Amino acid sequence: MRGPSTTTMATFKQSFLKNLLSSLKNSKNKAMPTLSERRRAIKSSADIAMATARTGIAGAARWPHAILASSSSSSSSSSSSSSSLPRTTFPCQGKVRRFKSIVKRRTPLMSSSSEVARRLVKRRANVLRRMIPGGELIADEISLLHEAMDYVVHLHAQVDVLRRVSRAAMARRSNASSSSGGLAQLKERTVQISGETENPC
């Protein structure tokens, strides 16, 4: 498994930052009174910007299309949710579970070490499929590992760009506060000097 080159990642970071700033500029027009809504908007903008930047780079990957598809579907059909569906109750559900547990107890534990390892790999692959956008559609484990590596690499690049943006914003804020504090100290010093010249010893 070979990761993307340095030039490719630099191009991705530039495209991601451009898309992120454009998305955040468009989201300013929307009313978001609470802090949680603003956090969700920033996270959604960062994910969409990352997926859009990845689609512009050579190489087949499914997770960018899955992110863009989920964002478009959630924005278009936000009213239709699974919670509105009626719940179906089964009165004999407890008896069925008890019967299954009895059957499991009576079956002999004849699983070999290879069978245990196969089950463990399958379980971890299922967990990995749930973590990657669009991972449920990937059948074989080799393609799943390639997709996971591509997603983690670009997710790390996204975090790197966001950290640099945060540091730049904090440095700009500290410079602005230090310059205003310097002006205040200069005014106090000039008042002290003027008072000393008016009242010489």
Side-chain angles (χ1 to χ4, degrees), residues 15 63 89 96 98 107 114 129 164 171-172 179 183 187 195:
S15 179
W63 63 265
T89 57
V96 173
R98 187 178 177 185
T107 54
S114 61
R129 284 188 181 93
R164 292 186 181 185
R172 185 177 180 183
S179 62
L183 289 174
K187 287 180 181 179

Side-chain angles (χ1 to χ4, degrees), residues 13-29 41-42 44-50 52-53 161-162 164-166 168-169 172:
K13 289 180 180 181
Q14 291 176 1
S15 179
F16 165 70
L17 182 58
K18 183 180 178 181
N19 296 333
L20 178 63
L21 295 177
S22 177
S23 181
L24 291 176
K25 192 181 294 182
N26 294 332
S27 64
K28 281 184 179 180
N29 301 326
I42 292 173
S44 177
S45 299
D47 290 339
I48 294 172
M50 180 179 67
T52 307
V161 173
L162 292 176
R164 292 186 181 185
V165 170
S166 177
R172 185 177 180 183

